[in-house]
C-alpha cells in the first residue's frame, strides 16, 4: 500500500496520494484527465453540487442536450432507456401522463432545487433543461422529507453564462406518418349476430343483432340482386318513395381500411428562441418556447407555450442572488377520451364498427333535418359515430403555470455563509366538457350537457439556513448546511354541470334544462390546506481524499396527520471509499469505489389524502326542503393511524477500466415498507364497509447496472455506448392481523389481485376455468366450467424481469449519429383490446369454417378439452386441491361457435388475454451535420446544425394489436412512428 496510516487514535504518520502511473499519449496527461473525470460534480438534493466520488448512493445524470433534437410533447418520454432503475411507461394516447417509476415507486420532481408536488412535466420545456440528476432512493432525497421517500428527479434549467450575448434558435418538426402497431381486424364478416343483419332504426334490437360484429359474410355473390351481391337494408339505405321502406344495399366490405382512413397524420412542432449573456457581475437568460401537436385523431391538438427568465447578480462582494421565473400555458381545444367505453373513439371505430361500414361515409355525422339533435350512425343506442365524437364532444383544457424561485447567499466570514430561498408554484386550470345531444354513454342517450371544472393551486416553500465549509488540511474537510423551512399549500377545485341542454350546441350553464348539478364525490369540489414546518440539514466529511461520509437529518411537523402522530424524524447516512487510493490495483483498473447508505422516511399523509386521517360526514346529492343532507362515508379510520414508513439501504460500486474508457456502476438496494394501509371489511351493521388501519408490510429489492464505454476514440471518429439494466421486485412480507394474504390493486389488469405472504406484489390473478390434472380444459354441455377454487389463479407478474436501454453515439468529422434502443424482458399485462376483439367478433382468428357453420344455424364447434363423467374436485381454504375423483372423457359436445366466443372471448386458448410485455423498441435515431464554422460565419452564425430525427421507429414484441410500452391496455391509441428534422442555430 502506498497509503500509510497509523492505526490507533487516528494519528497519521504519512500520506501519499496514490495515482496510477500512466504514460502521456499525444501530449495528454491521462492521469490528470482521470482525476478530473472522477472529480466531476452532480446535482443532489436541495440543488447542492457534490463530487461523484464523494456520493454514497446511486445517482445518474442525463445532459440536457439529449432533449434538444428529437422532441416529445412531454420531455420526460425522452428519458426512456437512459437511466437504470427508471422505468418510463410511455402512453400512446394524446396528452396522457407517462408512467414514471423509479425503483417501483413514483419519484419526486424537483425543479431548480424546489420540489414540484404537482409533478406536471408538460410545462417543462426541453430546450430549457440543462441537466437531470436521478437520485435513486430515499437516502439521496431524504432532505426533502416525506415527498422524497421514493427518490427524486432533479431538473436543473439553463442559466446565463459569462461571455458575449448569444441568440439561439431551435426548431424541430416531426410527422407521425405511420403505425408501428395497429389493431388488425377481420374484414370478412360484418355487423349483426348469428350471421343475420338488417337495419331497422339504429336501436340495435331485432335483426340489427344487438350491436355485435357476428353478422353475415361480406362480398357474397347473388345474381338475383341489382348489384350482384347479397343485399340487406343498412343505415345509409335510401327510402323507397313508393313503399316507404329502406332500399337494400350490397353487403360488401367497404371499410377494409377504416383505421387508416380515420386517423390523420400527426404533427409535433417545437420552436425555441433564447438569449444568453453574462459578465463578472451578472448573468441572464431569456427563453421563449412553443410546442404544437396535432393529434392523429381528427380535431385534436395540444399546445404549450413557455417564457422563462433566469439570472444571477453579484451586486456586492460576498453576496450572490440568482433566480428563475417560468410562465407556461398548456391549452387545447380538444383532446380525446381514453379508457374502455363508448366515450373512447377506438371503442366505436375498432371494436364495434364492421367492414360493412365505410368510416368516410360517417363524416357527415348529423341526421338530415335533425342537425344538433341526432347523430348519424349505424347504431344510435350503444355507439358513437367517431367523427361526431371528434368534432362535437369537445374537451377544452386551459392551464396557466407559474414556477419561480429566488436564492440568496451571503458569505458572513470565509467559511460561513447565510442562505435563503423562496420557491413558489402556482397554477390555474379551466376545463370544459361539451357533450352534444344524442351522445351515447353506458345505458343512456345524452340530452346534451356542459361541465365546467376549475382548479387553483398555490404552494410556497421558504427556507433560511447556514452553510459551513472548511478545508482543515489535506487530510480532512468538513462541510454542512442547516435550514429552517416552511411549506404551505392551497388547492381549490370546483365542478358544476348542467342537467341537459335546452338549446343544442349552446354550451352555457344558463342553458340547463334542470337545476345545476355539483358533484360531491372525490376531490371534484374541494378545498385543501396543508402546512409543514421543518428543521433539516446535512454534514459532509472527507478523510484523506479517500473516505467520504454524509449524514442528513430532518424533523417535520405536518398538518396532515392526527396530533400525536404528526411529528417525526428522517435520518440518513451514506459513505464511500476509494479503493484505488488505498490499494495497488492492476494498471487496467483506474478507479474503484465502494459505497453504502441507509435512510428512514415516512409519507406524511394517509393514502396521499390531505384529510385522510379524518372520519367525517360526506355531503349527499339529495336535498330535503332545500336543505343539504349528509351521510357517513363507507370507511372507519383508526384514530391512531400512522403514516406509511420506508426503511431503505443500498450498496454499490463504481469502477473505471482501461484508462477510464470503460466504467461500470452497480447498485443493490432493499427497502422495507411498513405501516402500510389495509382495508378491513366490516359488518354493515357497524355502519361502515371497511376499517382503514395500518397493516401490511412489504419488501422491495432490486439491482441496477450501468456500463459506459468509449469504444473508439480517434481524432476523426468516435464511438461511445451505454447499457442500462435494472431489475425490481416487491413482496408481501406480513398481512394485517397475521393474515396470510392481501388484495392488491394492479393497473396492469385493472383489478384487485389475491397475493399471499411471501409472494410478489405485482402478481396478476384471474378466476380461471377448471382444468384436468394434465392441464386440459374441462367443459360441460360444450362450455367451459368455472373454477370452484376459493382463490384466483396466477396469470403472471406485471413487473418485468429486466428493464434495459442500449444507446450508441458515433461521430465522424462533422457528422454524428445517435441510436437508442430500450425495452423490457418479461412481465405480463392484460389486454382489453384483444379480449374485446374476440368477444365482439372482430378478431381475425374468428374467421373460420365454424363461424360459417354457426351462421348457417349449425352447431359444429367442439372445444378442445375434456368433460367429467363422474367424480368431483374439492379445494382447501388455501386453494390447493384437496381431493380429485373426477373421471374424464374427451369433449364431444358440439356448440354454436358464435355463442361460444361471445361467452368465453377465446380466453382459455389466449391465456385469458394475459400477454408477455417483452419488447424491444428503436426509440430514437438522430443524424446530425454540424456546418463548418467558416460556412456559419458567412451567415453571421457562430454555429449551425441540421438533424434528421426519428422516434419509435421499430417495435418487436409477441403481443398482437397493441404496444406494450405503457404496461397496460385499456383500449389504447395505435402506436405511431415519428420522422422529422431539427435545425439549430446560434448567433
Amino acid at each position: 500500500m502506498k497509503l500509510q496510516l497509523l492505526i490507533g487514535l487516528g494519528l497519521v504518520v504519512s500520506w501519499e496520494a496514490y495515482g496510477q502511473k500512466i504514460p502521456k499519449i499525444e501530449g495528454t496527461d491521462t492521469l490528470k484527465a482521470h482525476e478530473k473525470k472522477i472529480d466531476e460534480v452532480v446535482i443532489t438534493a436541495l440543488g447542492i453540487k457534490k463530487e461523484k466520488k464523494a456520493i454514497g448512493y446511486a445517482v445518474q445524470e442525463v445532459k440536457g442536450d439529449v432533449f434538444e433534437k428529437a422532441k416529445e410533447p412531454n420531455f420526460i418520454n425522452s428519458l426512456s432507456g437512459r437511466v437504470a432503475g427508471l422505468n418510463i411507461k410511455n402512453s400512446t394516447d394524446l396528452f396522457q401522463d407517462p408512467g414514471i417509476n423509479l425503483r417501483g415507486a413514483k419519484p419526486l420532481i424537483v425543479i431548480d432545487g424546489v420540489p414540484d408536488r404537482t409533478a406536471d412535466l408538460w410545462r417543462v420545456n426541453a430546450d430549457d433543461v440543462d441537466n437531470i440528476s436521478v437520485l435513486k432512493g430515499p437516502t439521496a432525497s431524504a432532505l426533502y422529507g416525506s415527498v422524497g421517500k421514493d427518490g427524486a428527479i432533479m431538473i436543473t434549467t439553463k442559466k446565463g453564462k459569462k461571455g458575449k450575448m448569444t441568440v439561439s434558435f431551435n426548431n424541430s418538426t416531426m410527422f407521425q406518418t405511420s403505425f408501428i402497431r395497429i389493431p388488425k381486424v377481420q374484414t370478412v364478416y360484418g355487423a349483426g349476430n348469428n350471421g343475420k343483419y338488417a337495419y331497422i332504426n339504429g336501436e340495435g334490437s331485432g335483426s340489427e343483432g344487438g350491436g355485435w360484429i357476428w353478422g353475415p359474410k361480406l362480398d357474397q355473390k347473388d345474381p338475383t340482386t341489382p348489384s350482384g351481391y347479397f343485399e340487406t337494408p343498412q343505415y345509409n339505405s335510401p327510402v323507397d318513395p313508393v313503399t316507404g321502406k329502406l332500399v337494400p344495399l350490397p353487403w360488401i366490405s367497404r371499410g377494409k381500411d377504416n383505421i387508416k382512413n380515420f386517423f390523420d397524420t400527426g404533427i409535433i412542432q417545437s420552436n425555441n428562441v433564447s438569449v444568453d449573456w453574462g459578465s463578472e457581475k451578472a448573468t441572464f437568460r431569456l427563453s421563449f418556447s412553443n410546442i404544437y401537436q396535432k393529434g392523429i385523431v381528427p380535431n385534436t391538438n395540444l399546445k404549450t407555450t413557455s417564457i422563462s427568465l433566469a439570472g444571477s447578480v453579484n451586486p456586492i462582494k460576498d453576496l450572490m442572488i440568482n433566480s428563475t421565473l417560468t410562465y407556461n400555458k398548456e391549452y387545447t381545444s380538444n383532446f380525446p377520451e381514453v379508457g374502455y367505453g363508448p366515450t373512447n373513439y377506438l371503442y366505436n371505430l375498432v371494436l364495434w364498427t364492421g367492414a360493412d361500414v365505410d368510416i368516410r361515409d360517417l363524416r357527415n355525422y348529423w341526421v338530415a333535418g335533425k342537425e344538433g339533435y341526432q347523430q348519424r350512425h349505424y347504431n344510435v343506442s350503444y355507439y358513437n359515430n367517431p367523427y361526431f365524437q371528434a368534432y362535437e364532444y369537445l374537451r377544452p383544457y386551459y392551464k396557466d403555470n407559474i414556477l419561480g424561485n429566488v436564492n440568496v447567499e451571503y458569505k458572513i466570514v470565509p467559511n460561513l455563509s447565510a442562505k435563503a430561498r423562496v420557491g413558489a408554484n402556482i397554477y390555474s386550470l379551466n376545463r370544459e366538457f361539451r357533450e352534444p345531444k344524442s351522445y351515447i354513454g353506458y345505458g343512456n342517450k345524452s340530452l346534451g350537457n356542459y361541465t365546467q371544472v376549475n382548479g387553483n393551486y398555490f404552494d410556497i416553500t421558504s427556507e433560511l439556513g447556514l452553510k459551513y465549509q472548511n478545508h482543515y488540511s489535506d487530510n480532512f474537510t468538513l462541510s454542512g448546511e442547516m435550514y429552517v423551512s416552511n411549506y404551505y399549500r392551497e388547492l381549490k377545485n370546483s365542478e358544476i354541470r348542467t342537467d341537459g341542454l335546452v338549446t343544442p350546441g349552446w354550451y352555457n350553464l344558463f342553458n340547463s334544462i334542470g337545476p345545476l348539478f355539483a358533484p360531491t364525490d372525490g376531490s371534484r369540489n374541494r378545498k385543501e390546506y396543508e402546512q409543514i414546518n421543518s428543521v433539516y440539514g446535512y454534514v459532509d466529511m472527507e478523510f484523506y481524499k479517500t473516505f467520504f461520509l454524509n449524514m442528513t437529518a430532518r424533523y417535520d411537523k405536518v398538518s396532515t396527520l392526527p396530533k400525536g402522530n404528526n411529528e417525526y424524524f428522517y435520518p440518513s447516512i451514506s459513505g464511500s471509499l476509494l479503493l484505488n487510493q488505498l490499494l495497488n490495483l492492476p494498471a487496467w483498473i483506474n478507479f474503484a469505489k465502494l459505497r453504502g447508505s441507509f435512510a428512514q422516511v415516512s409519507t406524511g399523509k394517509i393514502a396521499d389524502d390531505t384529510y385522510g386521517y379524518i372520519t367525517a360526514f360526506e355531503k349527499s346529492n339529495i336535498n330535503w326542503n332545500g336543505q343539504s343532507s349528509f351521510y357517513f362515508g363507507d370507511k372507519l379510520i383508526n384514530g391512531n393511524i400512522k403514516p406509511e414508513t420506508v426503511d431503505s439501504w443500498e450498496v454499490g460500486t463504481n469502477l473505471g477500466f482501461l484508462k477510464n474508457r470503460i466504467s461500470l456502476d452497480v447498485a443493490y438496494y432493499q427497502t422495507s415498507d411498513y405501516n402500510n394501509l389495509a382495508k378491513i371489511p366490516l359488518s354493515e351493521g357497524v355502519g361502515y364497509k371497511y376499517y382503514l388501519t395500518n397493516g401490511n408490510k412489504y419488501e422491495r429489492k432490486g439491482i441496477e447496472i450501468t456500463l459506459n464505454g468509449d469504444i473508439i476514440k480517434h481524432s476523426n471518429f468516435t464511438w461511445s455506448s451505454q447499457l442500462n439494466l435494472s431489475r425490481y421486485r416487491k413482496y408481501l412480507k406480513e398481512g394485517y392481523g397475521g393474515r396470510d394474504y392481501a388484495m392488491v390493486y394492479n393497473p396492469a389488469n385493472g383489478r384487485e389481485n389475491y397475493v399471499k405472504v411471501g409472494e410478489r406484489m405485482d402478481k396478476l390473478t384471474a378466476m380461471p376455468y377448471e382444468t384436468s390434472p394434465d392441464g386440459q380444459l374441462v367443459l360441460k354441455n360444450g362450455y367451459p366450467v368455472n373454477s370452484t377454487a376459493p382463490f384466483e389463479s396466477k396469470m403472471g407478474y406485471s413487473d418485468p424481469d429486466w428493464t434495459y436501454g442500449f444507446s450508441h453515439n458515433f461521430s465522424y468529422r462533422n457528422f454524428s449519429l445517435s441510436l437508442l434502443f430500450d425495452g423490457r424482458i418479461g412481465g405480463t399485462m392484460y389486454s382489453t383490446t384483444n379480449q374485446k376483439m374476440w368477444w365482439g367478433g372482430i378478431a381475425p382468428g374468428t374467421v373460420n369454417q365454424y363461424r360459417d357453420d354457426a351462421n348457417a344455424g349449425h352447431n359444429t364447434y367442439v372445444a378442445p378439452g375434456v368433460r367429467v363423467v363422474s367424480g368431483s374436485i374439492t379445494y382447501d381454504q388455501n386453494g390447493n386441491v384437496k381431493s380429485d375423483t373426477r373421471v374424464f372423457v374427451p369433449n364431444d359436445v358440439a356448440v354454436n361457435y358464435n355463442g361460444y366466443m361471445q361467452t368465453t372471448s377465446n380466453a382459455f386458448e389466449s391465456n385469458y388475454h394475459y400477454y408477455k410485455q417483452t419488447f424491444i423498441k428503436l426509440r430514437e435515431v438522430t443524424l446530425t451535420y454540424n456546418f463548418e464554422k467558416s460556412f456559419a460565419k458567412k451567415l453571421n452564425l457562430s454555429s449551425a446544425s441540421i438533424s434528421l430525427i426519428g422516434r419509435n421507429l421499430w417495435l418487436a414484441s409477441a403481443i398482437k394489436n397493441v404496444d406494450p410500452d405503457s404496461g397496460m391496455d385499456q383500449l389504447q391509441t395505435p402506436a405511431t412512428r415519428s420522422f422529422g428534422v431539427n435545425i439549430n442555430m446560434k448567433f
Side-chain angles (χ1 to χ4, degrees):
M1 294 176 59
K2 290 194 175 183
L3 174 63
Q4 298 176 359
L5 300 176
L6 178 62
I7 301 176
L9 302 179
L11 298 177
V12 180
V13 173
S14 66
W15 166 273
E16 182 177 350
Y18 174 73
Q20 301 290 344
K21 294 183 178 180
I22 303 172
K24 295 182 180 180
I25 299 177
E26 297 181 356
T28 300
D29 187 334
T30 58
L31 174 59
K32 291 182 179 180
H34 161 64
E35 290 174 342
K36 181 179 179 181
K37 186 171 184 178
I38 66 173
D39 286 342
E40 288 179 352
V41 297
V42 294
I43 306 297
T44 63
L46 306 182
I48 299 167
K49 294 181 179 180
K50 294 186 178 182
E51 293 180 349
K52 289 182 178 180
K53 65 183 181 182
I55 297 174
Y57 44 79
V59 179
Q60 194 167 348
E61 278 194 309
V62 179
K63 299 299 183 182
D65 54 9
V66 306
F67 308 113
E68 290 183 351
K69 295 181 173 63
K71 298 292 181 63
E72 289 275 342
N74 191 321
F75 88 98
I76 206 72
N77 290 335
S78 297
L79 281 179
S80 294
R82 299 187 189 276
V83 178
L86 180 65
N87 191 359
I88 306 294
K89 295 185 176 181
N90 299 277
S91 173
T92 59
D93 297 305
L94 178 68
F95 203 26
Q96 298 302 302
D97 290 328
I100 306 173
N101 189 289
L102 180 61
R103 293 187 174 180
K106 187 174 182 179
L108 171 69
I109 303 300
V110 181
I111 302 175
D112 289 326
V114 180
D116 176 14
R117 289 166 168 86
T118 65
D120 181 7
L121 292 170
W122 294 94
R123 66 184 178 183
V124 178
N125 173 48
D127 290 285
D128 293 332
V129 176
D130 181 61
N131 172 277
I132 290 180
S133 286
V134 180
L135 311 184
K136 303 179 185 181
T139 305
S141 51
L143 282 175
Y144 288 114
S146 61
V147 293
K149 76 180 184 69
D150 296 312
I153 297 178
M154 308 285 298
I155 302 170
T156 303
T157 61
K158 293 177 180 178
K159 310 296 190 295
K161 297 179 181 179
K162 294 180 182 179
K164 67 177 184 179
M165 181 178 291
T166 301
V167 179
S168 301
F169 171 74
N170 188 303
N171 168 271
S172 290
T173 302
M174 302 185 72
F175 299 92
Q176 296 172 308
T177 58
S178 59
F179 300 99
I180 59 172
R181 187 58 56 86
I182 192 170
K184 294 182 179 179
V185 301
Q186 61 86 9
T187 59
V188 177
Y189 303 90
N193 198 14
N194 290 318
K196 305 293 189 294
Y197 181 81
Y199 180 81
I200 304 172
N201 55 15
E203 296 297 327
S205 59
S207 59
E208 292 186 7
W212 295 98
I213 313 297
W214 289 99
K217 210 166 191 177
L218 298 162
D219 304 317
Q220 297 303 295
K221 300 287 187 177
D222 185 347
T224 65
T225 65
S227 65
Y229 289 94
F230 165 73
E231 296 181 350
T232 187
Q234 298 173 51
Y235 77 99
N236 53 352
S237 290
V239 176
D240 189 311
V242 177
T243 65
K245 295 182 179 181
L246 296 175
V247 176
L249 295 177
W251 187 251
I252 57 177
S253 52
R254 304 177 181 87
K256 286 187 175 182
D257 295 318
N258 276 341
I259 296 176
K260 293 181 180 179
N261 287 336
F262 176 75
F263 290 110
D264 292 337
T265 296
I267 299 174
I268 304 174
Q269 188 171 63
S270 171
N271 291 286
N272 174 262
V273 177
S274 64
V275 180
D276 190 300
W277 171 84
S279 68
E280 294 296 326
K281 285 290 186 179
T283 64
F284 112 110
R285 182 178 186 271
L286 176 65
S287 172
F288 175 80
S289 301
N290 174 264
I291 299 176
Y292 167 75
Q293 182 175 10
K294 175 182 177 289
I296 64 173
V297 178
N299 198 40
T300 60
N301 59 75
L302 174 63
K303 290 159 276 189
T304 59
T305 299
S306 300
I307 300 175
S308 179
L309 178 63
S312 65
V313 61
N314 181 204
I316 60 175
K317 183 181 179 182
D318 298 328
L319 176 64
M320 175 61 70
I321 303 172
N322 62 74
S323 178
T324 62
L325 179 65
T326 298
Y327 168 77
N328 167 273
K329 187 176 186 67
E330 305 161 26
Y331 52 109
T332 171
S333 57
N334 186 38
F335 67 99
E337 190 90 34
V338 298
Y340 182 81
T343 57
N344 184 322
Y345 57 90
L346 277 178
Y347 176 93
N348 306 290
L349 172 67
V350 174
L351 296 183
W352 304 111
T353 298
D356 54 289
V357 176
D358 186 345
I359 192 66
R360 293 169 294 186
D361 180 65
L362 295 175
R363 287 178 177 169
N364 181 14
Y365 51 77
W366 289 117
V367 172
K370 296 183 179 180
E371 290 81 2
Y373 286 89
Q374 179 58 57
Q375 64 169 302
R376 175 175 172 264
H377 200 24
Y378 85 92
N379 184 300
V380 293
S381 289
Y382 312 141
Y383 316 125
N384 291 295
N385 179 323
Y387 285 103
F388 169 79
Q389 192 168 11
Y391 288 95
E392 296 297 331
Y393 177 56
L394 304 182
R395 307 171 69 209
Y397 182 101
Y398 306 94
K399 187 177 183 183
D400 295 275
N401 301 281
I402 297 176
L403 187 69
N405 66 78
V406 177
N407 296 268
V408 179
E409 182 172 353
Y410 178 72
K411 185 180 291 186
I412 303 171
V413 293
N415 296 324
L416 183 65
S417 300
K419 297 181 71 175
R421 170 163 46 203
V422 177
N425 181 10
I426 306 168
Y427 76 69
S428 63
L429 171 65
N430 295 282
R431 294 194 64 182
E432 297 179 15
F433 296 83
R434 301 177 182 179
E435 184 178 287
K437 286 183 181 289
S438 75
Y439 191 77
I440 302 299
Y442 274 121
N444 70 289
K445 183 182 294 186
S446 178
L447 297 175
N449 258 317
Y450 175 61
T451 303
Q452 280 188 354
V453 179
N454 295 291
N456 290 279
Y457 178 93
F458 167 77
D459 78 38
I460 185 168
T461 302
S462 305
E463 300 173 331
L464 182 64
L466 294 173
K467 174 183 176 181
Y468 177 80
Q469 289 180 308
N470 197 348
H471 185 72
Y472 288 93
S473 69
D474 289 341
N475 300 334
F476 180 63
T477 299
L478 175 68
S479 63
E481 299 184 28
M482 185 179 72
Y483 293 87
V484 292
S485 172
N486 175 266
Y487 166 75
Y488 177 76
R489 177 180 71 92
E490 290 184 5
L491 172 66
K492 299 178 182 179
N493 289 335
S494 65
E495 179 175 335
I496 192 168
R497 65 173 173 84
T498 59
D499 185 25
L501 297 179
V502 177
T503 303
W506 182 33
Y507 296 103
N508 191 291
L509 295 176
F510 292 102
N511 193 31
S512 181
I513 294 175
L516 297 177
F517 175 74
T520 59
D521 59 299
S523 60
R524 294 195 288 178
N525 280 287
R526 182 181 178 101
K527 291 183 180 180
E528 288 184 6
Y529 302 93
E530 179 182 357
Q531 183 166 322
I532 304 174
N533 295 316
S534 309
V535 178
Y536 60 87
Y538 74 91
V539 174
D540 283 345
M541 290 179 281
E542 176 186 323
F543 303 91
Y544 305 106
K545 300 181 181 178
T546 302
F547 305 97
F548 301 88
L549 181 66
N550 170 263
M551 294 178 289
T552 76
R554 180 176 176 120
Y555 173 84
D556 280 352
K557 184 175 182 179
V558 303
S559 66
T560 51
L561 291 172
K563 291 184 178 180
N565 286 337
N566 67 333
E567 300 179 39
Y568 39 89
F569 177 69
Y570 311 96
S572 84
I573 184 169
S574 64
S576 63
L577 171 65
L578 301 187
L579 296 179
N580 57 296
Q581 295 284 70
L582 287 171
L583 306 173
N584 284 314
L585 300 177
W588 53 273
I589 301 178
N590 309 107
F591 179 67
K593 182 181 90 169
L594 293 179
R595 64 175 190 264
S597 64
F598 171 83
Q600 182 182 81
V601 185
S602 296
T603 59
K605 294 182 183 179
I606 304 302
D608 200 30
D609 183 352
T610 302
Y611 305 114
Y613 67 98
I614 301 174
T615 300
F617 292 107
E618 297 186 22
K619 188 175 183 295
S620 170
N621 293 324
I622 301 174
N623 295 329
W624 294 93
N625 296 323
Q627 298 296 318
S628 298
S629 62
F630 297 84
Y631 66 96
F632 281 110
D634 60 359
K635 64 183 177 182
L636 176 64
I637 303 173
N638 182 347
N640 194 37
I641 199 165
K642 296 178 176 62
E644 298 174 349
T645 303
V646 170
D647 285 351
S648 179
W649 61 267
E650 76 170 74
V651 292
T653 184
N654 301 82
L655 300 171
F657 307 100
L658 304 177
K659 303 175 184 177
N660 289 303
R661 293 276 290 272
I662 298 175
S663 63
L664 175 68
D665 186 291
V666 180
Y668 175 83
Y669 62 90
Q670 188 165 308
T671 298
S672 177
D673 301 311
Y674 55 96
N675 286 338
N676 294 283
L677 301 180
K679 292 181 180 180
I680 312 304
L682 295 174
S683 168
E684 292 189 7
V686 178
Y688 298 93
K689 288 186 177 181
Y690 60 88
Y691 180 54
L692 185 67
T693 187
N694 298 115
N696 305 324
K697 182 177 180 180
Y698 312 131
E699 182 180 83
R700 288 182 278 159
K701 59 179 66 176
I703 186 170
E704 298 158 354
I705 302 170
T706 299
L707 179 65
N708 290 281
D710 293 328
I711 301 171
I712 297 177
K713 293 183 70 173
H714 190 272
S715 58
N716 290 329
F717 179 71
T718 64
W719 174 15
S720 62
S721 184
Q722 182 183 76
L723 172 66
N724 291 299
L725 197 62
S726 63
R727 178 186 179 94
Y728 161 81
R729 295 289 182 260
K730 184 176 182 180
Y731 299 90
L732 176 64
K733 300 302 290 183
E734 295 179 14
Y736 168 78
R739 293 186 179 186
D740 61 355
Y741 73 94
M743 299 303 295
V744 181
Y745 177 79
N746 194 325
N749 65 350
R751 62 196 302 272
E752 299 277 339
N753 299 271
Y754 173 79
V755 178
K756 293 181 181 180
V757 170
E759 289 186 322
R760 288 167 53 177
M761 291 287 291
D762 60 323
K763 179 182 175 183
L764 300 171
T765 62
M767 186 58 74
Y769 301 128
E770 289 282 10
T771 58
S772 64
D774 61 353
Q776 296 187 74
L777 178 64
V778 175
L779 302 109
K780 183 178 180 180
N781 298 324
Y783 284 86
V785 176
N786 291 324
S787 174
T788 58
F791 299 112
E792 299 178 340
S793 296
K794 184 186 75 175
M795 295 292 109
Y797 299 100
S798 58
D799 290 327
D801 297 327
W802 294 98
T803 300
Y804 65 90
F806 193 26
S807 62
H808 299 273
N809 293 280
F810 306 89
S811 67
Y812 177 71
R813 298 186 184 275
N814 292 352
F815 288 93
S816 63
L817 173 67
S818 66
L819 305 172
L820 173 62
F821 296 85
D822 72 286
R824 296 192 283 273
I825 300 173
T828 301
M829 61 182 283
Y830 178 78
S831 174
T832 297
T833 300
N834 282 285
Q835 183 264 316
K836 298 301 181 183
M837 288 176 66
W838 277 95
W839 185 50
I842 205 72
T846 63
V847 178
N848 52 55
Q849 185 61 45
Y850 298 116
R851 182 166 182 170
D852 291 339
D853 295 342
N855 289 348
H858 304 306
N859 298 339
T860 61
Y861 182 67
V862 179
V866 296
R867 60 184 179 88
V868 179
V869 294
S870 65
S872 62
I873 185 172
T874 59
Y875 298 88
D876 64 19
Q877 62 181 4
N878 296 317
N880 301 313
V881 175
K882 188 175 181 180
S883 67
D884 188 356
T885 60
R886 297 172 298 175
V887 177
F888 305 100
V889 296
N891 178 47
D892 56 3
V893 180
V895 296
N896 182 283
Y897 178 80
N898 298 354
Y900 185 90
M901 288 302 163
Q902 290 175 20
T903 302
T904 69
S905 301
N906 199 41
F908 185 78
E909 292 78 5
S910 303
N911 193 38
Y912 302 93
H913 296 289
Y914 285 84
Y915 301 87
K916 288 295 182 184
Q917 294 185 46
T918 300
F919 74 89
I920 181 171
K921 181 177 285 190
L922 178 53
R923 182 74 64 179
E924 183 175 303
V925 177
T926 304
L927 177 62
T928 300
Y929 178 74
N930 296 291
F931 291 96
E932 295 283 357
K933 289 189 175 296
S934 58
F935 176 81
K937 189 174 182 179
K938 292 179 181 179
L939 301 177
N940 294 321
L941 300 174
S942 59
S943 65
S945 68
I946 185 170
S947 303
L948 300 178
I949 48 182
R951 291 277 297 175
N952 303 318
L953 300 183
W954 171 73
L955 169 68
S957 68
I959 186 172
K960 297 179 179 179
N961 299 311
V962 297
D963 183 347
D965 201 340
S966 63
M968 58 183 295
D969 168 35
Q970 291 293 326
L971 195 57
Q972 61 181 235
T973 303
T976 58
R977 297 180 177 89
S978 299
F979 303 89
V981 62
N982 172 267
I983 299 173
N984 199 332
M985 297 182 292
K986 291 185 178 181
F987 298 87

